[in-house]
Amino acid sequence: TLQRDDALECGDPKDRGPRGRYEVGKTYWLDDLPGDRNAEVVDALVEHWTSHDFRVLADHRDADDRFVSVQHDGDAFRMSVTQSIEGDLSLGASSPCIWLDGGVDD
């Protein structure tokens, strides 16, 4: 289920590129997963990410509010998995600063 869908203008781009680009993000609840398998699901995601050129930025798998964040080495897209206080998992993704119309920097 969609939890968050947004596009925020890059007011002070981290990449020092031109203004007018946006960071686009989406987060989804991972519905109907058995909560007693959250550790297994998160471990599988981390294994998949790290074997596909994602670098781990934060790894809090041992916390009650489990959280892992990664960034792709090639294109700087980020992904994360978070466990809510109720035990539900959500999967998020966000872009680096991009042009919403698909254009490229000159």
Side-chain angles (χ1 to χ4, degrees):
T1 305
L2 183 63
Q3 176 188 6
R4 180 181 70 93
D5 181 3
D6 58 27
L8 302 172
E9 188 170 5
C10 298
D12 186 17
K14 296 177 204 82
D15 62 3
R16 302 189 197 287
R19 293 184 184 271
R21 296 172 302 150
Y22 287 76
E23 290 180 336
V24 178
K26 289 192 182 265
T27 303
Y28 292 89
W29 289 112
L30 301 178
D31 298 326
D32 302 323
L33 292 178
D36 61 341
R37 296 187 64 194
N38 282 354
E40 179 184 347
V41 170
V42 172
D43 287 345
L45 281 168
V46 173
E47 184 172 326
H48 174 80
W49 287 330
T50 57
S51 67
H52 287 87
D53 299 324
F54 283 86
R55 167 173 48 94
V56 175
L57 302 175
D59 188 341
H60 303 286
R61 283 182 267 183
D62 294 332
D64 290 337
D65 54 347
R66 207 173 257 120
F67 172 76
V68 178
S69 174
V70 297
Q71 179 173 306
H72 192 267
D73 288 331
D75 58 19
F77 275 80
R78 291 184 176 190
M79 296 195 74
S80 64
V81 61
T82 306
Q83 179 176 307
S84 72
I85 198 75
E86 295 84 12
D88 300 314
L89 291 178
S90 63
L91 182 66
S94 62
S95 74
C97 294
I98 60 171
W99 297 107
L100 291 182
D101 65 2
V104 296
D105 296 338
D106 292 328

